[in-house]
Amino acid sequence: MPTQAPRQIAPALLSPALNRRHVLVGSASALAAAGLSTWSPCAAAQAKPLPAFASWKDATATIVHSATTIETKRSAFGSSVITPTEQLYVRNNLPTPDAAVVANRDAWEISIEGVGKPRTLTLRELKTLGLETVAMVLQCSGNGRGFFPSKPSGTPWTVGAAGCVVWSGVPVRAVAEALGGVDGGMRFMTGTGGEKLPEGLDPKSIIVERSVPASAMVDALLAWEMNGVAIPLAHGGPLRLIVPGYTGVNNIKYIKRLAFTAHETDARIMSHGYRVSPPGGKGDPSQPSVQEMTVKSWINSPGPDSTALEKGRMQVGGVAFGGMHAVKRVEVSVDGGKTWADARLVGPDLGKYAWRQFVLDVRLPAGPHVLASRATDVMGNVQPQQRLENAAGYNNTSWADHALTVSVA
């Protein structure tokens, strides 16, 4: 079959709005002003070291924001579907537990409640009840916060608080069935983390405890393995609740309690935290909770670290996912969204919860080009142009925010 000729697309004319948000590749000062990562000898010297619990991470592929927040560099995603564990982002709401919790993984205990025969099970016992594997996008609720002009408090993530990960463990539904089934009237599945809580505080004010609809148990796992190895301490080992399609905070690390409940937990991280509040407002139970993810994509290559791009043929590629639904289509624009062309989905399809890689073969003339991608899921939901403005900078799926400006010589 003859090779299809690369698509010719006219050079972009930068709009004032895009000029404010995006930067020319190679311009370190502009990159910094836009909140995008850039590298220089000075910046490298000032880079924060990896925290001890994640010292095994790849320092060249990550950005350390704080002792509990580590971002994957946009340029590090590469062209493989699965995100290597040493590059995957870290976001912990509480200090990481002592490494002693993974010294004897099989002895870890979890209490199962809201079932016919509630009891405490060890990880060793869980392993006898079933096994499944799922590939899914793990993404922090605040991924893309760094693009908000309002500069919400919290880590200014761009795209790197996400990754595509393979988890293995026992299906939650199998555990519930083994213990007599879920009790009637239980509308929620509530997970409680096993982090050590600071003394002198109301536990409900600080504990990591989240509720999701009980229907989420259909695909949920109690996972002990990640990307083929035991889950590292940094990512919630020895045992983590995995709820495919839901944002990271709902995937409870160090899970010690899984309860089917009639009501949502009243823990503050649920009742007031991770709520989509209006700009200037504060979270409360009346506002939408950050739970299911929606369709999103972004371009990784050529990216903000690309230099010396020469005019002519090149491959524009990135990742796309639908959250709760599979990706059906990805379009790419090289003129800031004025015109679009269908990209090709490449690599293996690992299921509806995983992301898909896409690529568009183009020829770019010399000059600046605004690269953007727009995904559509199988339900017909289209990635929006604009972000949903909110106080905490959650759920940014804007294709305009995630666009990149590159300069071709």
Side-chain angles (χ1 to χ4, degrees):
M1 180 179 295
T3 303
Q4 184 177 4
R7 186 180 297 271
Q8 295 277 3
I9 305 180
L13 296 176
L14 295 178
S15 69
L18 286 169
N19 269 323
R20 283 194 298 269
R21 285 197 300 267
H22 305 296
V23 291
L24 293 180
V25 168
S27 174
S29 60
L31 282 167
L36 299 176
S37 62
T38 182
W39 184 92
S40 70
C42 181
Q46 296 174 1
K48 296 176 183 177
L50 288 162
F53 73 91
S55 60
W56 49 271
K57 292 279 184 180
D58 182 351
T60 66
T62 53
I63 304 164
V64 179
H65 292 287
S66 73
T68 58
T69 53
I70 303 170
E71 181 169 5
T72 307
K73 291 181 179 178
R74 195 169 191 162
S75 59
F77 280 112
S79 55
S80 295
V81 177
I82 300 304
T83 305
T85 306
E86 63 270 19
Q87 297 180 2
L88 184 66
Y89 83 99
V90 171
R91 166 67 171 108
N92 290 339
N93 282 284
L94 289 173
T96 307
D98 189 274
V101 303
V102 294
N104 184 2
R105 292 172 178 268
D106 281 351
W108 180 266
E109 293 182 338
I110 178 172
S111 172
I112 311 296
E113 303 172 13
V115 292
K117 302 174 183 178
R119 60 169 293 192
T120 295
L121 297 169
T122 65
L123 177 49
R124 180 181 291 106
E125 290 172 314
L126 285 177
K127 289 179 177 178
T128 69
L129 299 180
L131 176 66
E132 281 190 10
T133 295
V134 64
M136 70 163 224
V137 173
L138 183 69
Q139 178 181 228
C140 178
S141 310
N143 199 30
R145 179 185 290 129
F147 299 127
F148 277 69
S150 58
K151 303 300 179 187
S153 62
T155 304
W157 311 106
T158 55
V159 302
C164 191
V165 183
V166 175
W167 303 95
S168 291
V170 60
V172 169
R173 65 180 185 278
V175 177
E177 289 168 4
L179 298 182
V182 177
D183 289 344
M186 300 306 181
R187 299 166 48 228
F188 297 94
M189 180 172 69
T190 299
T192 307
E195 295 95 339
K196 183 178 180 180
L197 303 181
E199 296 181 0
L201 296 175
D202 176 2
K204 288 290 186 178
S205 71
I206 192 69
I207 197 168
V208 178
E209 185 173 270
R210 297 278 296 177
S211 298
V212 298
S215 58
M217 72 176 284
V218 173
D219 292 326
L221 300 179
L222 287 170
W224 52 79
E225 188 175 289
M226 168 184 170
N227 286 353
V229 298
I231 300 176
L233 183 68
H235 293 292
L239 189 67
R240 183 167 184 173
L241 175 64
I242 296 303
V243 191
Y246 284 68
T247 59
V249 70
N250 300 290
N251 293 258
I252 304 296
K253 302 182 183 76
Y254 325 108
I255 187 165
K256 68 175 183 180
R257 173 179 174 264
L258 182 67
F260 294 95
T261 56
H263 304 284
E264 287 185 346
T265 173
D266 59 355
R268 188 166 183 82
I269 196 173
M270 186 78 209
S271 62
H272 291 73
Y274 292 88
R275 296 280 172 169
V276 182
S277 310
K282 294 183 178 180
D284 69 57
S286 70
Q287 297 159 351
S289 181
V290 176
Q291 294 193 327
E292 296 181 0
M293 295 187 293
T294 56
V295 65
K296 185 175 182 177
S297 70
W298 63 79
I299 289 167
N300 288 322
S301 179
D305 297 330
S306 301
T307 56
L309 292 176
E310 298 182 356
K311 65 180 181 179
R313 184 174 183 173
M314 65 184 66
Q315 307 297 309
V316 177
V319 295
F321 55 98
M324 301 299 293
H325 308 289
V327 170
K328 180 179 181 179
R329 178 190 189 194
V330 180
E331 302 163 278
V332 168
S333 173
V334 298
D335 56 13
K338 295 177 182 178
T339 61
W340 296 90
D342 281 327
R344 181 169 56 91
L345 297 177
V346 296
D349 181 351
L350 298 182
K352 68 179 183 178
Y353 296 120
W355 65 29
R356 297 299 307 273
Q357 291 175 288
F358 63 85
V359 67
L360 181 66
D361 193 7
V362 301
R363 288 189 181 274
L364 297 182
H369 303 270
V370 181
L371 309 181
S373 62
R374 182 174 66 186
T376 302
D377 69 19
V378 293
M379 303 301 291
N381 300 304
V382 180
Q383 183 178 356
Q385 178 176 358
Q386 302 300 332
R387 76 190 80 83
L388 172 64
E389 298 292 350
N390 63 93
Y394 291 140
N395 293 349
N396 189 353
T397 59
S398 160
W399 64 253
D401 277 356
H402 289 77
L404 288 169
T405 302
V406 298
S407 185
V408 176

